Amino acid sequence: MARIVMKFGGTSVADLDRIRNVAGRVKREVDAGHEVAVVVSAMAGATNQLVAWCQSLSALHDAREYDTVVATGEQVTSGLLAIALQDIGVEARSWQGWQIPIETDGAHGRARIDAIEGAELLRRMRELRQVAVVTGFQGLGPDHRVTTLGRGGSDTSAVALAAALKAERCDIYTDVEGVFTTDPRIVAKARKLDRIAYEEMLELASVGAKVLQTRSVELAMKEKVRVQVRSSFSDAPGTLVVDEDEIVEKEMVAGIAYSRDEAKITLRRVPDRPGVAAAVFGPLAAAGINVDMIVQNLAADGTTDITFTVGKADLPRTEATLKEIRQAIGYGEIAADRDVAKLSVVGVGMRSHAGVASTMFRTLAERGINIQVISTSEIKVSVLIGAEYTELAVRALHSAYGLDGA
Ligand code: ADP
Ligand code: ASP
Ligand code: MG
């Protein structure tokens, strides 16, 4: 008998039949004698719709009210799954973030979990054999208002709950059979990985592989939660996220990820003097805007162009912030480009092998794809390209690094 956390993503609870399917899977674990807590996402598409409503009313909407709106998707699925479980004879109760509570910081829209009070859930699991069906993605802020954890945040809810309940396993059920060498929806030859190192998964997630939210991997690594990614539509074994030394054969490149969630901003004719980068990026940081890639080019006339990327969702606030500091800095103009994609290759093998970056540049050059910005870290190389080349580039790189499966 084990204690397990099962998390089901949006496609797994997209309609009533799928919720029944999920209930059946939960029942199997309960019948096997396990103590089970379930974390659910909103139905597929529901969160997108809620976000779009907020944005349509106001591009610069209040983050507290955004959370009030977008947290509702998970409330629906938690109640529905509890009903479906009760209907097949499984003792179950739904829980929203504030009821447990799942305490977070006050960063509305991208809150971090501080603490989860698991005692009552544990008591019910033990004494009543009751399944806890917990809303993913949401928590309770210090202002006593509902918070949300950022897109894809239910993964983090699940890992945090597994840590709080000291669960033996945290199974992340999704619409693919595990973590692949790249997005299997784009590359048919992508291969499923039996195991992936925390560091690699962390890096892949942070550069756009949507299969796990970055913070969930961070937390799993820190709290030593055993995470498995698997399909809610098959019984095939999934992918285990493990310590690097549990992986025998280390590939140079573990995977390739892409993100269309970033926008490129160029500030033209910025005066080239000490303190100017601080004057640009300080106010953006103060506004809570995450800047990713940065390049600066020097012109001959004492000005520079500064190019950087931010999340597309942050673009309106970024432009507003930059306009506020225009007088003080005295730059020429702002140009924003939303039609960009970031491609990244990731692998711990890069620590000991040279040539990963040059293979990437050559492969893209052979396809006539222009590289706009480059950034690297110990186990990752990223480039920014035109969004229209995303699929072509991912497929070409997947072959170039020898990742294609049968
Ligand atoms: P869920 O709703 O279950 O949380 P997500 O859409 O957030 O599901 O994540 C699963 C999706 O992640 C897959 O459908 C797939 O398109 C995408 N994905 C991107 N990169 C990868 C990868 N390397 N391995 C597996 N899936 C990936
Ligand atoms: N429903 C939320 C989202 O779509 C959280 C999640 O699915 O993980 O981002
Ligand atoms: Mg997800």
Side-chain angles (χ1 to χ4, degrees), residues 7-12 41-42 44 151-152 154-155 172-186 190-191 193 196 201 204 208-213 229-230 232 239 254-258:
K7 178 259 172 177
F8 293 92
T11 8
S12 309
S41 291
R151 298 307 306 270
S154 298
D155 298 326
I172 307 279
Y173 288 84
T174 184
D175 55 359
V176 289
E177 287 192 345
V179 179
F180 285 68
T181 46
T182 191
D183 187 345
R185 294 186 193 289
I186 286 212
R191 273 189 293 118
L193 302 166
I196 186 165
M201 192 62 243
L204 277 174
K210 294 221 158 80
V211 61
L212 287 175
Q213 197 199 33
V229 179
R230 51 179 307 186
S232 54
T239 302
I256 299 171
Y258 64 91

Side-chain angles (χ1 to χ4, degrees), residues 89-109:
V90 177
E91 191 61 46
R93 184 61 64 210
S94 70
W95 296 87
Q96 293 179 62
W98 63 268
Q99 289 172 304
I100 296 180
I102 296 176
E103 288 173 29
T104 72
D105 65 14
H108 283 276

